[in-house]
Amino acid sequence: MDFGKLPDISRVDFTLPPNHPDTLPLLQQFKTDGKPQVYIGLPVWVNKAWVGKYYPARMPERESLLWYGKQFSTIELNSTHYHIPSPDTIDRWRNTVPHGFKFCPKFPQLISHEAALRSTQDVTAAFCEAIAGLEDKLGEAFLQLPPYFAPSQLPDLEAFLQFIPESIPITVELRHEGWFADADASQELFAVLEKYKAGTVLTDVAGRRDVLHMRLTTPSAMIRFVGNGLHPTDYTRIDAWVERLKEWFDNGLRQLYFFVHEPDNTLAPELETYLVERLNKVCGFDLKPPMKFVQPVQGELF
């Protein structure tokens, strides 16, 4: 993900902002004794560097999703940003992954970027119908709005959210600086999202710390974490997130989607493993980290 990437991170303050004052009171409305649902994954399922390491050696590329589903519990499904998948594709995806896996499809750019949510009822209905075919494998669809989608367009966002079926969980990622620099715009935005039970995407990336606004509008959090090639700060940032998430879980967070990005994503499974281990230790979970495949020694017989 190129958004917010910096060539030099030496001067970046990666400290997590404090909770938005409305986040914990919102979560406390949903506090129960039940165990939260935690889904952790990556933004792609095809990566040749994972073959022989996180996927079996000599695995054909067509089996990438099969093995990805064995190793991770969710996917940031970016391919839907470029085209609406056919029913056959949806069926294949749904039937390839195991029970409990969740796809989080991104709304098409035709809706979010080209039309800026206006006059998109037909294509939006087609997209929602398509992803509904994922059935119990559908996680939260996310609407990534472009940097030029400004607070003045909040009425367009509200009209759009009114059109989304209740059966399609939706989260919204905003990138225009005005949503975060203007307190009134922020308050109006979060009120609309909360009204329509739409979640917020929190993006943790070096060059845009303002999008890490720490405001939840539902008892579900979606975090997009952008690392820097396993730089030491990747690990300290994960440590901070685990502490924050424990606080949120203790106060009523019911669901988490956490997506790990790294440059070309080759190293993303390693940081995901660290995240799982820390969540298990700090939060008392029993999440399964991705398994590495041990390659036989040359000449060894089986």
Side-chain angles (χ1 to χ4, degrees):
M1 185 171 67
D2 293 330
F3 171 72
K5 291 288 288 182
L6 293 177
D8 179 7
I9 62 170
S10 61
R11 297 187 179 183
V12 176
D13 181 1
F14 282 111
T15 304
L16 285 182
N19 284 319
H20 187 284
D22 293 333
T23 289
L24 293 187
L26 177 127
L27 289 178
Q28 288 161 1
Q29 300 175 40
F30 300 93
K31 190 172 182 179
T32 70
D33 294 331
K35 188 176 181 180
Q37 298 173 320
V38 178
Y39 304 99
I40 302 175
L42 312 177
V44 295
W45 64 62
V46 175
N47 190 311
K48 292 181 179 179
W50 300 343
V51 177
K53 190 171 184 181
Y54 293 99
Y55 296 165
R58 296 180 295 278
M59 182 206 75
E61 187 172 294
R62 66 179 180 277
E63 294 183 5
S64 295
L65 178 57
L66 171 68
W67 285 97
Y68 180 94
K70 295 176 183 289
Q71 297 280 44
F72 307 97
S73 56
T74 186
I75 180 77
E76 180 183 305
L77 191 56
N78 288 295
S79 65
T80 55
H81 192 54
Y82 305 103
H83 63 272
I84 297 176
S86 69
D88 287 345
T89 296
I90 289 286
D91 289 345
R92 184 175 71 254
W93 289 347
R94 186 188 67 246
N95 294 326
T96 297
V97 296
H99 176 74
F101 185 94
K102 300 291 184 181
F103 291 91
C104 289
K106 186 186 292 186
F107 275 80
Q109 62 182 352
L110 177 62
I111 296 169
S112 57
H113 288 58
E114 296 177 28
L117 307 184
R118 292 186 175 184
S119 302
T120 60
Q121 289 88 344
D122 289 347
V123 66
T124 300
F127 177 69
C128 290
E129 181 180 1
I131 64 174
L134 292 168
E135 299 176 358
D136 63 322
K137 308 290 177 60
L138 175 63
E140 294 196 355
F142 72 104
L143 176 68
Q144 183 185 86
L145 292 170
Y148 47 83
F149 192 93
S152 61
Q153 294 167 276
L154 181 60
D156 294 326
L157 176 58
E158 181 167 12
F160 181 80
L161 293 174
Q162 286 179 288
F163 185 74
I164 303 299
E166 291 186 6
S167 58
I168 304 295
I170 182 173
T171 61
V172 181
E173 181 182 33
L174 294 132
R175 295 181 168 186
H176 190 285
E177 291 89 342
W179 294 109
F180 315 109
D182 185 326
D184 290 337
S186 296
Q187 192 65 26
E188 291 173 5
L189 164 68
F190 296 135
V192 166
L193 296 178
E194 197 169 336
K195 177 181 178 181
Y196 294 100
K197 297 182 174 59
T200 57
V201 176
L202 304 176
T203 300
D204 187 342
V205 64
R208 283 292 304 274
R209 304 308 287 166
D210 56 337
V211 297
L212 198 55
H213 49 77
M214 291 300 176
R215 174 62 157 99
L216 302 182
T217 50
T218 70
S220 179
M222 181 178 286
I223 298 162
R224 304 180 76 215
F225 181 98
V226 184
N228 295 286
L230 301 187
H231 186 274
T233 56
D234 287 2
Y235 295 97
T236 55
R237 290 163 64 198
I238 290 292
D239 290 342
W241 263 116
V242 170
E243 294 298 329
R244 181 62 55 87
L245 289 168
K246 184 179 189 305
E247 181 184 17
W248 288 357
F249 286 127
D250 289 346
N251 279 274
L253 185 68
R254 304 308 310 142
Q255 187 170 248
L256 169 68
Y257 290 94
F258 198 112
F259 297 109
V260 177
H261 295 245
E262 286 286 351
D264 76 19
N265 292 306
T266 296
L267 299 175
E270 295 188 32
L271 193 63
E272 196 264 8
T273 298
Y274 182 77
L275 170 62
V276 169
E277 291 172 347
R278 294 298 299 159
L279 283 171
N280 285 343
K281 182 175 182 178
V282 174
C283 300
F285 296 150
D286 188 24
L287 305 173
K288 184 184 72 171
M291 175 187 68
K292 284 189 177 181
F293 283 83
V294 178
Q295 299 305 307
V297 177
Q298 187 174 4
E300 186 173 353
L301 299 177
F302 291 88

